[in-house]
């Protein structure tokens, strides 16, 4: 067996299951889960139709690189969304959702033959795949904390110079899961300078880029590079239809950026066998070409957040994020930072599931930056999310029972 498998940590939902084991939630309340960050709005009918129309493609093997029509759908979207002109032949590649791509990219770029062991820098808290990908690629992980005092910006300055020297890959999550924070241009400038100095690759995970609450759409990594007059060297952006188009079951996304990395990534993927099915490609081409459903989806989230956030703000340390579908809330001081105890008692008394923040982060440099926070995914419909918020607000003003 691959000994690196033993370095993997239990997934947060497994830990949540254990936390709730033996708890019988109050029968007075119907169950509401804000625990899992999985889109629940209906899939637009035209995407389902395009999938059906792609059925004829079943009789042939798909190409790992995707065909030109698919790749042009990606570059057209990048042009509309960010004003960028990428070459469909060399600068984009289809992936089966951003999750597998985040994983496979680490296997492609990390050189584990180096001593000392290479480092992958991850935000903390973070999307759990970053850690597992790094560990299975034979790297160590350095956890860079997000700073609540600066809208949860990742504190790149806290990473020691010796760590940067060993760093081969940095994951950026913007908009962030779980914080919802968008990385501003100045932070990009800083990270690009560090990448120039130390030669690491930046993987910019942007799967929440279309769910935002301010007028200005979130800045993308490639867009930031262009604004700073740079090319895309050592930069790969990853994006996905899952959240944008409510198709998490489709497994469709793409990567874009540095043509050299894309070339090596294609080689890796050819052997890995991760070509996108022709059906999925047909549905994806239709989805990337349409913005009407994306605007409508965003409006649904905006209405939901506008209804829920004011109910929670008076009782919890929480505010409207820049983007994403999460609220990243501080638990009341009476809980002494025990987010797991808060989540467990909320579940027992009010049958509402939230995810303890400490499960989404690691203890590093003496603290767990997820401690004392919970993540609420506002993926259910507005009525259900509002009802959950009312119960949480009622719960939050009570003192914890001993
Ligand atoms: C930050 C982040 N990145 C990537 C993904 C993966 O999404 P998908 O594989 O559906 O594109 C998720 C899913 O929850 C996520 O939260």
């Amino acid at each position: 067996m691959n000994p690196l498998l033993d370095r993997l940590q239990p997934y947060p939902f497994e830990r949540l299951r254990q936390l709730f084991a033996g708890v019988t939630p109050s029968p007075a309340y119907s169950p509401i889960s804000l625990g899992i960050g999985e889109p629940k709005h209906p899939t637009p009918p035209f995407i389902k139709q395009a999938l059906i129309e792609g059925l004829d493609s079943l009789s042939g093997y798909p190409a790992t690189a995707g065909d030109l029509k698919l790749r042009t759908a990606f570059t057209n979207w990048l042009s509309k969304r960010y004003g960028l002109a990428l070459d469909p032949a060399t600068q984009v590649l289809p992936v089966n959702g951003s999750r597998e791509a985040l994983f496979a990219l680490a296997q492609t770029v990390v050189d584990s033959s180096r001593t000392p062991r290479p480092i992958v820098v991850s935000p903390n808290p973070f999307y759990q795949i970053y850690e597992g990908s790094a560990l299975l690629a034979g790297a160590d992980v350095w956890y860079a904390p997000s700073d609540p005092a600066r809208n949860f910006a990742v504190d790149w300055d806290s990473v020691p110079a010796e760590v940067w020297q060993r760093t081969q890959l940095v994951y950026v999550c913007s908009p962030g899961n779980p914080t919802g924070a968008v990385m501003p241009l100045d932070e990009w400038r800083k990270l690009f300078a560090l990448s120039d100095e130390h030669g690491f690759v930046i993987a910019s995970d942007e799967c929440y880029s279309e769910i935002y609450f301010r007028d200005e759409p979130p800045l993308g990594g490639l867009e930031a590079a262009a604004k700073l007059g740079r090319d895309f060297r050592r930069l790969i952006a990853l994006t996905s239809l899952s959240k944008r188009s409510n198709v998490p079951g489709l497994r469709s996304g793409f990567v874009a950026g540095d043509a050299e990395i894309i070339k090596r990534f294609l080689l890796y993927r050819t052997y890995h066998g991760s070509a996108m099915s022709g059906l999925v490609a047909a549905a994806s081409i239709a989805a990337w070409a349409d913005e009407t459903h994306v605007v409508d989806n965003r409006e649904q989230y905006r209405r939901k957040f506008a209804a829920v956030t004011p109910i929670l703000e008076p009782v919890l340390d929480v505010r409207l994020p820049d983007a994403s579908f999460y609220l990243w809330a501080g638990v009341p001081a009476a809980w002494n930072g025990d987010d797991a105890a808060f989540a467990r008692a909320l579940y027992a008394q009010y049958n509402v599931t939230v995810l303890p923040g400490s499960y989404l982060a690691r203890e590093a440099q003496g603290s767990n930056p997820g401690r004392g926070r919970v993540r609420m995914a506002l993926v259910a419909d507005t009525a259900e999310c509002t009802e959950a918020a009312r119960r949480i607000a009622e719960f939050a003003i009570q003192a914890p029972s001993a």
Side-chain angles (χ1 to χ4, degrees), residues 37-39 96-100 102 127 129-130 173 175-177 205-208 239-243 247-248 251-253 325-326 375:
E38 186 177 302
N96 297 314
S98 47
R99 180 179 180 141
E100 67 91 353
L102 287 160
Y127 178 51
I129 300 304
Y130 308 154
C173 189
N177 172 3
D205 179 0
E206 305 179 1
C207 68
Y208 294 98
T239 191
S240 164
L241 287 175
S242 300
K243 282 87 175 164
V247 285
R251 313 311 301 132
S252 177
F325 47 52
Y326 301 113
R375 189 188 77 176

Side-chain angles (χ1 to χ4, degrees), residues 362-384:
R362 289 279 170 262
E363 175 94 20
Q365 299 98 53
S367 77
N368 179 326
R371 187 177 147 74
R373 295 201 166 265
V374 290
R375 189 188 77 176
M376 305 172 190
L378 301 193
V379 288
D381 65 27
T382 303
E384 213 179 21

Side-chain angles (χ1 to χ4, degrees), residues 131-154:
E131 181 187 67
S133 322
L135 295 175
L136 289 178
D140 287 337
V141 185
W142 181 271
Y143 303 94
S146 77
D147 180 359
R150 290 189 303 123
N151 186 32
F152 303 106
V154 175

Side-chain angles (χ1 to χ4, degrees), residues 68-78 88 254 284-286 288-289:
L68 194 62
K69 204 169 157 206
L70 177 64
R71 294 158 70 116
T72 307
F74 305 152
T75 52
N76 284 347
W77 183 77
L78 289 168
F254 70 88
S284 304
I285 290 167
W288 286 114

